[in-house]
Amino acid sequence: MATAQFPREAVPQPNSSETILTLRRSLDSLAARRNTQQMAICVARAAVVGVGLAALLMLAHRFYLVDAPWWSPVVLVVAALLIGVRNGAVARAGAFDAALDADRVLGLDERLSSALAFAQPELVRRAQRHPYGSDPMARIRSVLFPRVTYRTAHVGAATPLVPALVEDAAARARGLDPKRVYPISFDRTAKALAAVTVAFVAFSLMPNIDWMRSPEQRALAGVLNRQGKELEAVAKQVREKKEIEEQAEAKRMAKKLEALGKRMQRGRMSKKEALLSMGQLRQELEKAADSKQQNSGGVGNLEQIEQQLQKEAMQSMEGQQMQRELEKKQYEKAAEQLDKLADKIESGKMTQQEKEQAANDLEKAAKALREAGNEDAARTLEDAAKNLRAQEQQNGQQGQQKKQGQGQQQKQGQNGQESPQGGQQQQKQQGQKQGQQQGAQGGQGQQQSPKSGEQSGSGAGGLRNLAKQLRSSGSMGNSQAMRDMMNKIAQAERDTGQNNGQPKQGRVKAGGECKGGNCNGQMVTPGKDLKVSDPHGQVGGGAGLGPRNNAQGVRKGGGVSSLRTRRSGDNRRWEDVWSDRLPKTQKKMDRITGKMGDSGEVEQLPTRTEAEGGPVRTPYYDVYESYKKDAEDAVSKEVVPPAYKQPVKEYFDSLKPGQ
Amino acid sequence: MNANPSSNAPGSAGASSVATSSADANAAIAEFAGRINAIKSQMARVIVGQEQIVEGVLMCLCAGGHVLLEGVPGLGKTLLVRTLAGSLGLQFSRIQFTPDLMPADVTGTNIIAETPEGRKEFQFQRGPVFTNVLLADEINRATPKTQSALLEAMQEHSVTVAGTTYRLEQPYIVLATQNPIEMEGTYPLPEAQLDRFLFKMKVYFPSLEEMIRILDRTTTEASDNPERVVDAAGVMAMRRLVREVPIAPHIQEYAVRIMLGTHPDSEYSTEQVRRFARYGSSPRGAQSLILAGKVRALLQGRFNVAYEDIEMVAHPALRHRIILNFEGQAEGIDTDDLVDSLLERHEAERGVKAVAA
């Protein structure tokens, strides 16, 4: 029987490699399971956060608090999962950690970890979270991106009991079941993950709820939805046209329009955003149309030219034929006729009548071009028509002079018989004079001829340009398509800009009631906010036109807030309104020039609210339509002299938002 | 386990062969536990209850340390020590500390004696400290000067008188009792003296059942004396076995962290320690933790020290090494509370919260 007198000087027998290997294998399998479990836990925790945030985002989206694109929840979840994977991989457990866990879970009183520490001291390594600090950001960083440092330990002093310890530990590790140490459990994390996933799915499937939106926002959403549908319909229509298939530009624009329509239908755009988007797309369309026109010769607005050419009764055969072809929309054949006419003009082999007819046709074409806005081309054609007429007249004068010359010679012949010398001298003098005149005329003719040819050539060139334009028009269904799209956008802009697309007849009454009208827009309390004097109701979803009760009104200046323009990139005009009611501020206040109302007061625009930060501004495009309507009404009532009607129209056209 | 205590007589313990295999180690541990149990059973014949105190005293005996027993008079402290000495068959001395006790009364002194030849010379008269088991009863009733007379004996196991050093016999163990320091006529032990005790154990009042049994034994003719079950050599062999129990680095580090945590300015301390403690444990505290942990591991039949061993001995090993500050004393803080806070804080070090942290 062994005794307790354990000699200190006894050399401990080293454990066999088989014993150590057994211990190591068991602990490695434990560590592998722990790492898998830890990865799952980290990913699950991250998923709880990610899916939870996605669910909140979706909820906010449903309540119109945010406008989240469809991919944003996916991005959130994926990002969270990546962080979870990273965190799961950052502190991988080794055999020593597994041994500690087994000791703890199975109640082995550190037998395994102690044995491993003596058998393979190099494995004694423990992960420690790197301290980040105590401030909140550091804590968040430590959760999101934990850093781990590994701490090793010194080698323990071996004693004669160490081999027995290792052998005992190996025997215990041999039958170790990893599942007992790391059982799979449906813990709080899994429950939380299930809960947030259910919430996310529920929020995703629930319909949009607009309880938290103001009546104005709902109205605007309705308008945008309607306009969006129409825009989408137009875009689809354009895209379905066969002749459009080859036209990449039109197709691209149609796609953009369709996308915009869809966005508008979602009803999550603000009025400003919608108008900006529409204005931008319209500008793109106009630019594309302009470049198309320039590429095709820059003759002018083809539609107008076509209409004008069809209106005018052409006299030449080619002109009449061209009109017939235009009626049939046979642009190629119509262009051929114009080319023929140009050829004839260039060759100069035309009868007087043909020249007359050609000149008339040229003048009509010039008129059409002028109507279309191409003054230069019109002038060229007119010059060509004048030249043709000049040639015609010249030919007529030459014929008369020829006849007159013959008559004089006969007369002189009679005089010569009476006085041969005097007659010869006189004849000589007259002949010289006539010769000089004729020479001068001939010189003129020689000088005139190239000019005339040049002008004829210019006229022919103008016709050829016109022909080219017509020819390209046949393949330019997209121009029409672009016009359709532009028109639709313009209409949508108008509808959206005008009082959220509602009829503008609302009258605002105290207490927010509205008698007999469609009270859209926000309610205004008289005396406190505004006295309603706007004959058109509220302006552009705002508070409506303001009272004429301020003698100072809106003063000089008028204009564009360059500060805002620089900041937002929105280069439309912004106006300060109601600024004299605002508290004093150091900020520069832009003002617009108002117009005198019936009472002699200055009419000015109302504010939506009074902000603390300085002057309140109403977007320019919000008030444009109202102003334009005022002007048109004034013009129609002949408040404006008839001579000024056109300038007034041009003025407002120049101010149109997006120009 | 050896069933016959008499077979553990001096000489028989060292007769066995060197055992380094697992089987031998198991046998050695079994014998160790058997001897401890034998001593316990002998003590149980005399002492009623107080199992924790008995076990703590035996742990100190095996670890080679000394014990300070604190409790009000009459709780059986002296009887416990006498019984232990009887069970071990060791020499036993008792010193009743009083305020007028002098150091020489403890260590011994040179006296003039006449030789057979008729010459007179100084002879060293050994004091009661020269023994195997010393009971220093009511140690805090003596002055600090006298209390300090035990310092060398406890630490160096030697006594120096008049320039001559006398070695004490092994095994040597001091079991001191003290009344709670709040009692009148007591002198608190100096820190250096306290630090020499491996354990400070609190003797609590016996329960109802224990009290009835005590009365039965003390108020009748029945009396039982313990038998000697382990000799000095056996005790020394047990002490050697204790020191050969391996302790893994992480367990050792855990013990050191707890010891360091008793210092208020340590990074391992707790808020409570920082607030109420003035001084922490000396390195002897860590030694105590580990040695006592090793004994406990052997008592549990293990070859290694576990976290639990350190925790179980932390209170008796550290409670007398923590010096409270004024606030701690004024608040009536018990040093055991501070040790509890340290154990709680360092629980994570054990790996309890390590899974998927």
Side-chain angles (χ1 to χ4, degrees):
Chain A
M1 180 180 172
T3 71
Q5 191 170 15
F6 219 77
R8 197 171 301 182
E9 54 278 355
V11 179
Q13 293 176 351
N15 294 102
S16 66
S17 58
E18 184 63 32
T19 306
I20 295 174
L21 202 62
T22 303
L23 178 66
R24 178 73 192 273
R25 274 183 193 154
S26 301
L27 295 178
D28 282 346
S29 67
L30 273 183
R33 186 173 173 86
R34 172 179 160 160
N35 287 331
T36 307
Q37 201 174 41
Q38 178 154 329
M39 176 65 79
I41 290 171
C42 286
V43 170
R45 284 179 182 171
V48 168
V49 176
V51 177
L53 288 175
L56 286 177
L57 184 67
M58 189 55 72
L59 187 64
H61 180 79
R62 290 296 175 220
F63 278 95
Y64 292 95
L65 297 175
V66 294
D67 183 15
W70 67 268
W71 44 261
S72 53
V74 180
V75 167
L76 270 177
V77 174
V78 169
L81 289 179
L82 287 176
I83 290 173
V85 169
R86 188 254 183 205
N87 292 350
V90 85
R92 295 183 66 76
F96 184 70
D97 295 298
L100 282 173
D101 290 341
D103 284 337
R104 179 181 57 80
V105 174
L106 303 177
L108 294 177
D109 290 326
E110 285 70 54
R111 281 185 175 90
L112 298 184
S113 58
S114 294
L116 190 69
F118 286 108
Q120 293 200 307
E122 69 276 7
L123 294 180
V124 179
R125 192 191 69 158
R126 301 192 73 182
Q128 274 190 324
R129 282 184 179 243
H130 190 274
Y132 268 91
S134 57
D135 61 296
M137 281 309 294
R139 286 184 182 178
I140 291 171
R141 275 206 305 276
S142 70
V143 171
L144 289 179
F145 307 107
R147 284 160 58 190
V148 171
T149 52
Y150 289 96
R151 192 162 52 84
T152 56
H154 68 279
V155 179
T159 67
L161 283 181
V162 167
L165 169 66
V166 175
E167 200 169 318
D168 178 49
R172 290 173 188 270
R174 200 169 286 127
L176 211 58
D177 182 9
K179 288 178 187 171
R180 281 185 64 204
V181 181
Y182 302 113
I184 296 173
S185 59
F186 192 72
D187 63 354
R188 283 184 305 173
T189 307
K191 288 174 188 169
L193 181 58
V196 294
T197 305
V198 168
F200 176 71
V201 172
F203 295 153
S204 302
L205 296 178
M206 72 186 270
N208 293 328
I209 297 170
D210 57 358
W211 298 339
M212 300 174 78
R213 306 185 91 185
S214 64
E216 292 78 20
Q217 286 174 321
R218 290 182 203 174
L220 178 64
V223 172
L224 290 178
N225 182 278
R226 196 169 57 249
Q227 300 298 338
K229 277 179 186 166
E230 290 178 9
L231 290 181
E232 191 184 358
V234 169
K236 277 185 178 168
Q237 206 175 347
V238 169
R239 287 178 67 185
E240 283 166 2
K241 282 186 181 172
K242 283 184 181 173
E243 58 269 27
I244 296 303
E245 286 177 6
E246 290 80 26
Q247 303 298 328
E249 185 69 7
K251 206 171 175 180
R252 190 174 65 83
M253 289 295 171
K255 267 187 184 175
K256 279 190 171 182
L257 186 64
E258 195 174 347
L260 176 61
K262 282 179 179 168
R263 269 188 75 197
M264 288 170 67
Q265 283 181 59
R266 291 169 66 196
R268 294 178 178 278
M269 296 175 89
S270 66
K271 186 174 181 178
K272 177 188 169 188
E273 196 182 354
L275 287 170
L276 278 174
S277 302
M278 284 191 283
Q280 193 176 351
L281 188 56
R282 187 167 45 74
Q283 281 179 350
E284 281 184 41
L285 280 165
E286 285 170 357
K287 209 177 281 180
D290 287 348
S291 67
K292 194 76 190 172
Q293 277 189 351
Q294 283 168 6
N295 292 338
S296 59
V299 174
N301 187 326
L302 190 62
E303 191 182 17
Q304 286 184 18
I305 294 170
E306 285 174 28
Q307 288 171 357
Q308 289 296 332
L309 287 177
Q310 284 177 22
K311 278 181 196 170
E312 302 293 342
M314 294 292 182
Q315 294 175 353
S316 64
M317 266 183 62
E318 291 79 6
Q320 289 171 356
Q321 188 65 29
M322 180 198 68
Q323 277 186 318
R324 281 194 289 274
E325 300 299 346
L326 277 178
E327 280 175 15
K328 298 178 201 167
K329 298 285 180 190
Q330 297 292 328
Y331 296 104
E332 181 62 37
K333 289 180 180 172
E336 279 175 14
Q337 296 302 322
L338 281 177
D339 281 338
K340 274 185 189 175
L341 185 58
D343 290 343
K344 265 188 177 179
I345 291 170
E346 277 179 346
S347 67
K349 293 175 182 175
M350 298 170 79
T351 62
Q352 288 291 100
Q353 190 184 356
E354 283 174 339
K355 281 183 181 175
E356 179 65 27
Q357 289 172 345
N360 289 340
D361 288 354
L362 282 173
E363 280 177 350
K364 287 167 186 169
K367 189 180 173 188
L369 284 169
R370 180 167 285 116
E371 288 291 325
N374 194 333
E375 186 64 31
D376 292 340
R379 203 172 293 139
T380 308
L381 288 183
E382 276 178 354
D383 289 345
K386 281 178 187 170
N387 281 337
L388 279 176
R389 291 191 198 289
Q391 284 177 14
E392 192 185 324
Q393 285 176 1
Q394 197 178 339
N395 290 340
Q397 283 176 357
Q398 281 176 355
Q400 283 178 358
Q401 283 175 357
K402 220 171 186 178
K403 284 177 184 173
Q404 282 177 358
Q406 285 173 357
Q408 281 177 353
Q409 279 176 356
Q410 284 172 0
K411 206 174 177 181
Q412 283 169 1
Q414 287 172 358
N415 293 336
Q417 285 175 355
E418 291 172 2
S419 172
Q421 281 183 347
Q424 282 176 353
Q425 283 175 352
Q426 195 177 0
Q427 191 178 2
K428 199 175 179 179
Q429 286 171 354
Q430 283 182 349
Q432 282 175 349
K433 206 173 180 178
Q434 195 175 353
Q436 283 171 355
Q437 281 178 348
Q438 283 180 347
Q441 282 179 349
Q444 264 185 347
Q446 282 168 356
Q447 284 172 355
Q448 231 173 14
S449 183
K451 191 179 172 185
S452 164
E454 193 182 308
Q455 285 172 344
S456 301
S458 299
L463 284 176
R464 286 192 200 286
N465 276 343
L466 195 55
K468 191 178 170 188
Q469 179 86 3
L470 283 176
R471 200 168 273 121
S472 64
S473 176
S475 60
M476 271 200 330
N478 61 329
S479 292
Q480 181 60 42
M482 284 190 178
R483 278 196 296 278
D484 291 346
M485 289 193 283
M486 276 190 283
N487 292 338
K488 199 69 201 169
I489 290 175
Q491 185 190 339
E493 274 184 298
R494 278 196 299 277
D495 291 349
T496 307
Q498 288 174 6
N499 197 24
N500 288 349
Q502 302 294 329
K504 298 188 291 182
Q505 293 175 358
R507 287 277 181 186
V508 182
K509 207 187 168 193
E513 293 175 10
C514 181
K515 202 179 269 183
N518 189 354
C519 297
N520 293 297
Q522 63 191 60
M523 296 305 175
V524 183
T525 306
K528 184 183 177 189
D529 293 327
L530 302 171
K531 288 179 183 172
V532 180
S533 61
D534 180 11
H536 310 300
Q538 295 119 341
V539 178
L545 281 178
R548 303 158 192 241
N549 61 352
N550 192 317
Q552 299 298 320
V554 183
R555 284 172 290 197
K556 62 184 178 181
V560 179
S561 166
S562 57
L563 184 67
R564 170 130 190 167
T565 300
R566 280 200 303 275
R567 190 173 65 240
S568 65
D570 180 7
N571 52 7
R572 285 174 302 178
R573 296 166 70 87
W574 291 74
E575 295 171 355
D576 275 336
V577 292
W578 214 242
S579 50
D580 49 340
R581 282 196 171 186
L582 296 174
K584 296 290 180 191
T585 174
Q586 295 300 317
K587 285 184 74 174
K588 183 178 177 298
M589 295 170 75
D590 298 326
R591 295 167 186 276
I592 57 170
T593 305
K595 64 174 184 177
M596 296 302 289
D598 297 333
S599 62
E601 293 173 341
V602 176
E603 190 173 39
Q604 54 186 306
L605 290 173
T607 58
R608 294 178 175 205
T609 179
E610 288 188 355
E612 292 177 4
V616 179
R617 291 173 170 140
T618 298
Y620 176 76
Y621 49 76
D622 272 1
V623 300
Y624 170 80
E625 289 295 336
S626 172
Y627 270 28
K628 188 182 178 187
K629 186 75 169 50
D630 277 356
E632 285 172 353
D633 288 348
V635 168
S636 65
K637 288 174 188 169
E638 294 187 353
V639 175
V640 177
Y644 288 97
K645 283 184 180 178
Q646 186 60 24
V648 168
K649 182 178 180 298
E650 286 172 2
Y651 171 70
F652 276 98
D653 284 340
S654 72
L655 289 177
K656 193 173 183 181
Q659 289 289 331
Chain B
M1 187 200 309
N2 195 342
N4 183 8
S6 61
S7 66
N8 289 318
S12 63
S16 64
S17 61
V18 172
T20 55
S21 69
S22 180
D24 291 341
N26 279 322
I29 290 175
E31 186 172 341
F32 178 91
R35 287 182 181 178
I36 294 291
N37 287 335
I39 297 170
K40 278 185 186 174
S41 62
Q42 291 303 315
M43 294 182 74
R45 292 167 66 178
V46 180
I47 305 295
V48 176
Q50 309 285 5
E51 286 84 5
Q52 283 189 343
I53 303 296
V54 171
E55 186 164 326
V57 168
L58 290 177
M59 285 170 78
C60 286
L61 174 72
C62 297
H66 312 286
V67 189
L68 176 62
L69 299 170
E70 184 181 272
V72 293
L75 292 183
K77 298 188 290 290
T78 308
L79 181 62
L80 185 144
V81 177
R82 287 173 62 95
T83 309
L84 175 67
S87 304
L88 298 176
L90 300 175
Q91 243 187 317
F92 170 72
S93 295
R94 171 181 174 171
I95 306 172
Q96 182 65 47
F97 280 69
T98 56
D100 58 349
L101 188 72
M102 299 303 288
D105 299 332
V106 176
T107 58
T109 186
N110 286 324
I111 59 171
I112 299 173
E114 191 173 339
T115 63
E117 293 81 24
R119 283 193 299 118
K120 290 187 177 174
E121 60 178 16
F122 279 107
Q123 277 189 353
F124 181 65
Q125 183 69 41
R126 294 186 171 201
V129 75
F130 286 89
T131 185
N132 292 116
V133 178
L134 174 66
L135 171 59
D137 209 2
E138 296 187 292
I139 190 171
N140 59 339
R141 290 206 178 274
T143 60
K145 178 182 176 182
T146 308
Q147 290 169 0
S148 299
L150 282 173
L151 284 177
E152 185 185 357
M154 291 173 74
Q155 184 63 36
E156 312 295 335
H157 294 186
S158 63
V159 175
T160 301
V161 177
T164 305
T165 301
Y166 304 92
R167 301 291 304 175
L168 299 176
E169 267 187 55
Q170 293 299 317
Y172 180 74
I173 180 171
V174 175
L175 296 103
T177 66
Q178 72 168 5
N179 300 314
I181 54 173
E182 296 83 12
M183 293 187 72
E184 204 171 338
T186 58
Y187 296 90
L189 286 172
E191 285 82 3
Q193 180 77 32
L194 279 173
D195 199 28
R196 260 103 181 142
F197 289 101
L198 189 81
F199 277 4
K200 175 186 174 183
M201 308 201 72
K202 291 181 178 175
V203 182
Y204 295 103
F205 207 83
S207 64
L208 176 69
E209 293 79 16
E210 289 170 348
M211 198 63 223
I212 291 171
R213 283 168 60 197
I214 289 170
L215 291 177
D216 286 344
R217 289 188 187 180
T218 55
T219 58
T220 61
E221 285 295 325
S223 63
D224 208 349
N225 292 320
E227 293 178 9
R228 192 185 70 166
V229 289
V230 179
D231 59 6
V235 171
M236 294 309 291
M238 290 165 72
R239 286 187 176 182
R240 281 198 295 275
L241 184 62
V242 165
R243 290 179 179 266
E244 283 165 1
V245 172
I247 178 165
H250 56 287
I251 310 289
Q252 210 168 25
E253 192 178 309
Y254 175 67
V256 173
R257 280 169 185 260
I258 288 178
M259 184 277 288
L260 291 175
T262 59
H263 294 265
D265 54 351
S266 167
E267 61 177 305
Y268 305 109
S269 67
T270 62
E271 183 57 39
Q272 271 189 301
V273 171
R274 279 191 280 272
R275 186 175 169 196
F276 298 120
R278 187 172 52 168
Y279 297 118
S281 165
S282 71
R284 286 194 186 96
Q287 291 169 357
S288 304
L289 286 174
I290 287 172
L291 277 172
K294 286 183 174 186
V295 176
R296 189 174 184 278
L298 286 174
L299 290 175
Q300 298 286 321
R302 274 187 273 113
F303 300 104
N304 64 294
V305 182
Y307 288 121
E308 191 189 32
D309 298 329
I310 303 295
E311 282 181 8
M312 295 301 287
V313 300
H315 288 98
L318 294 178
R319 63 165 64 110
H320 56 292
R321 302 177 201 273
I322 298 173
I323 310 300
L324 294 174
N325 58 17
F326 177 78
E327 188 180 358
Q329 290 173 8
E331 294 278 339
I333 297 296
D334 192 346
T335 52
D336 281 357
D337 297 336
L338 303 186
V339 176
D340 281 335
S341 72
L342 285 169
L343 292 176
E344 192 178 347
R345 184 204 150 163
H346 294 281
E347 196 178 25
E349 294 295 320
R350 298 173 45 192
V352 171
K353 298 171 184 171
V355 179

